[in-house]
């Protein structure tokens, strides 16, 4: 399949089956995500995997999922079988960019015009048939 076809066919999924996702599947996807390109190959990311119902419900509440649901949408946070919360370490990126191969001519860390450690990533379980 051509990459352009993949991009054209991608879609946002916000309604998931209740079918559990095998832990080895989540581990395989996260292992791949941890190899994604990052500034200076810092790899300053980690992931929190949430499968416990009470924790998913607490996260949904913090994200104000109820407001979304009251607008007629599905409870896509609390009902997803797995939530993956990406975390980044600003300190890891600063540390990497203080190494000899990344400093400027004066030996100082480069100025960061954009906080490249902020990122978006989503790993979703299979979509529901409905």
């Amino acid at each position: 399949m051509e990459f352009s076809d993949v991009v054209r066919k991608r879609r946002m999924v916000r309604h998931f089956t209740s079918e559990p996702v095998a832990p080895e599947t989540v581990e395989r996807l996260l292992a791949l995500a941890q190899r994604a390109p990052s500034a200076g190959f810092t790899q300053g990311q980690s992931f929190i995997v949430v499968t416990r119902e009470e924790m998913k419900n607490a996260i949904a509440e913090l994200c104000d999922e109820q407001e979304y649901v009251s607008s007629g949408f599905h409870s896509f946070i609390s009902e997803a079988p797995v939530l993956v919360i990406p975390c980044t370490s600003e300190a890891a990126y600063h540390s990497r960019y203080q190494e000899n191969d990344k400093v400027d001519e004066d030996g100082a860390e480069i100025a960061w015009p954009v906080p490249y450690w902020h990122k978006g990533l989503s790993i979703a379980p299979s979509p529901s048939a409905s």
Side-chain angles (χ1 to χ4, degrees), residues 20-36 43 45-47 49 82-84 86 119 121-127:
V21 178
E24 50 277 357
T25 299
V26 175
E27 289 173 18
R28 184 173 47 90
L29 291 169
L30 293 178
L32 290 171
Q34 288 176 320
R35 300 289 300 169
Q43 303 309 96
Q45 70 271 348
S46 59
F47 303 93
V49 176
V82 177
L83 297 178
V84 177
K119 64 176 166 72
L121 171 71
S122 60
I123 300 174
S126 57

Side-chain angles (χ1 to χ4, degrees), residues 3-110:
F3 180 70
S4 60
D5 294 333
V6 172
V7 172
R8 283 188 200 100
K9 290 180 181 183
R10 72 147 300 282
R11 63 190 177 100
M12 179 69 68
V13 176
R14 290 193 175 145
H15 190 200
F16 306 106
T17 69
S18 58
E19 187 178 319
V21 178
E24 50 277 357
T25 299
V26 175
E27 289 173 18
R28 184 173 47 90
L29 291 169
L30 293 178
L32 290 171
Q34 288 176 320
R35 300 289 300 169
S38 65
F41 199 67
T42 303
Q43 303 309 96
Q45 70 271 348
S46 59
F47 303 93
I48 299 170
V49 176
V50 180
T51 57
R52 289 185 10 232
E53 292 299 317
E54 64 275 8
M55 185 63 72
K56 291 190 300 182
N57 290 333
I59 292 167
E61 186 175 334
L62 285 170
C63 295
D64 205 12
E65 180 183 67
Q66 191 53 46
E67 182 178 329
Y68 188 77
V69 171
S70 68
S71 298
F73 297 99
H74 295 285
S75 304
F76 70 96
I77 299 171
S78 60
E79 290 181 4
V82 177
L83 297 178
V84 177
I85 303 169
C87 304
T88 55
S89 169
E90 180 178 347
Y93 287 89
H94 286 296
S95 176
R96 172 67 179 108
Y97 275 79
Q98 291 170 6
E99 293 180 20
N100 290 336
D101 66 326
K102 295 294 181 194
V103 294
D104 65 18
E105 302 86 35
D106 298 328
E109 180 180 356
I110 62 165

